[in-house]
Amino acid sequence: DSGVTQTPKHLITATGQRVTLRCSPRSGDLSVYWYQQSLDQGLQFLIHYYNGEERAKGNILERFSAQQFPDLHSELNLSSLELGDSALYFCASSVVPSGVQETQYFGPGTRLLVL
Amino acid sequence: DQQVKQNSPSLSVQEGRISILNCDYTNSMFDYFLWYKKYPAEGPTFLISISSIKDKNEDGRFTVFLNKSAKHLSLHIVPSQPGDSAVYFCAASEVSGNTPLVFGKGTRLSVIA
C-alpha cells in the first residue's frame, strides 16, 4: 500500500459525458501527478500540481482539467468523453516538486471505460 | 517521439536465474532514472533508482546499471522469483530541468517455477 488513494476504482460512462477522478496523496506529500495509461502504452504524464499550484503540463487534452485543493487532494475532470479516453488513470504523489531527485508513489488507479 | 524505450515487451526467465531488463533513452539531459514494478490491478511500485553520477546501484536482489555513453540502463534481478512476475517500467527525468518523469512502455517479466 503506497498510501495514495484513488476513487473510484472503476468507472463506466458514455461518450459525451463528464467524470471526476479523485486522488488523495500520501500524508505529507505536496506534489500530485496525473498519468494516463492506454492499452499497450506506457504511462503518459498529464499534469503536476504542487501545493495547490499547477507546475507542469504534459499531453493533457483541453477537455481535461485538474486542480489541487487546500487539503492537497486532487481531482482530474474529464469532459466530452470519447471512446479513446478509455484508459487507466493513475495519480502519484511525492514530497517535493520536480527539480530534485524524488520518488513518486502511485495510487491503484481508476479504470475508465467509455462506451 | 519516445524518449525512453523498452524494446522487449516481454521476457521469460526460469526461477533462480538472472533476469535482465533493458532500457534505452534518447535525451542526454536525463540525469535520474527509476524502475517501477506493476502488478495487475495495482499502481506502479517504486523499485530502485540511480543518479547519473553513478553507474551502479544495488538493493538486495535488484541492481541497476547505467551506461551514460550508450544511453542505456538495465535492471538485474538475481535470483529471480515467481513473485517477481510483473510489468517493469523504466522512467527518467531531467532533474535540473524540472521536468516530469518520462516512462517507457514496460516489459512483462514472467518467472517460471
Side-chain angles (χ1 to χ4, degrees):
Chain A
D1 185 358
S2 66
V4 179
T5 60
Q6 288 187 248
T7 56
K9 280 195 170 180
H10 302 277
L11 198 48
I12 302 175
T13 188
T15 54
Q17 295 297 305
R18 173 191 168 94
V19 296
T20 297
L21 313 183
R22 183 188 168 105
C23 168
S24 292
R26 295 186 319 158
S27 177
D29 284 0
L30 299 178
S31 269
V32 171
Y33 303 80
W34 286 98
Y35 293 87
Q36 179 192 57
Q37 185 184 20
S38 303
L39 194 64
D40 293 332
Q41 296 291 317
L43 287 87
Q44 301 291 320
F45 168 70
L46 294 178
I47 197 162
H48 168 212
Y49 276 84
Y50 175 74
N51 204 19
E53 292 189 5
E54 181 184 306
R55 291 295 290 253
K57 260 185 175 178
N59 297 322
I60 187 167
L61 299 171
E62 285 192 14
R63 300 183 285 108
F64 295 2
S65 65
Q67 57 185 133
Q68 186 179 28
F69 294 87
D71 67 352
L72 301 176
H73 92 271
S74 177
E75 292 181 357
L76 178 67
N77 300 296
L78 315 176
S79 61
S80 303
L81 285 167
E82 302 175 358
L83 296 177
D85 298 328
S86 296
L88 271 168
Y89 291 85
F90 289 103
C91 161
S93 75
S94 67
V95 173
V96 295
S98 53
V100 298
Q101 293 178 352
E102 44 92 19
T103 297
Q104 295 180 20
Y105 295 88
F106 282 79
T110 293
R111 184 175 292 278
L112 172 66
L113 181 59
V114 182
L115 300 175
Chain B
D1 178 28
Q2 256 193 294
Q3 297 187 73
V4 177
K5 297 177 186 177
Q6 294 178 256
N7 292 319
S8 297
S10 63
L11 175 68
S12 285
V13 172
Q14 286 230 306
E15 181 180 6
R17 306 294 288 268
I18 183 170
S19 295
I20 300 176
L21 295 97
N22 294 305
C23 177
D24 297 296
Y25 60 96
T26 57
N27 186 345
S28 58
M29 300 300 290
F30 285 148
D31 51 14
Y32 187 54
F33 305 87
L34 307 92
W35 284 93
Y36 283 83
K37 179 169 76 172
K38 185 182 180 304
Y39 292 119
E42 294 184 12
T45 303
F46 170 72
L47 201 54
I48 193 168
S49 64
I50 188 167
S51 162
S52 60
I53 62 173
K54 292 184 169 184
D55 54 19
K56 177 182 173 181
N57 189 25
E58 195 170 347
D59 183 1
R61 296 186 298 113
F62 302 91
T63 303
V64 56
F65 295 92
L66 175 62
N67 182 334
K68 288 187 290 295
S69 60
K71 296 193 186 68
H72 177 84
L73 63 155
S74 60
L75 174 68
H76 292 210
I77 306 174
V78 184
S80 300
Q81 299 173 353
D84 296 329
S85 297
V87 177
Y88 289 78
F89 290 98
C90 170
S93 73
E94 182 190 340
V95 172
S96 56
N98 200 30
T99 61
L101 288 179
V102 179
F103 284 82
K105 292 188 176 183
T107 295
R108 183 178 301 277
L109 173 66
S110 299
V111 179
I112 304 160

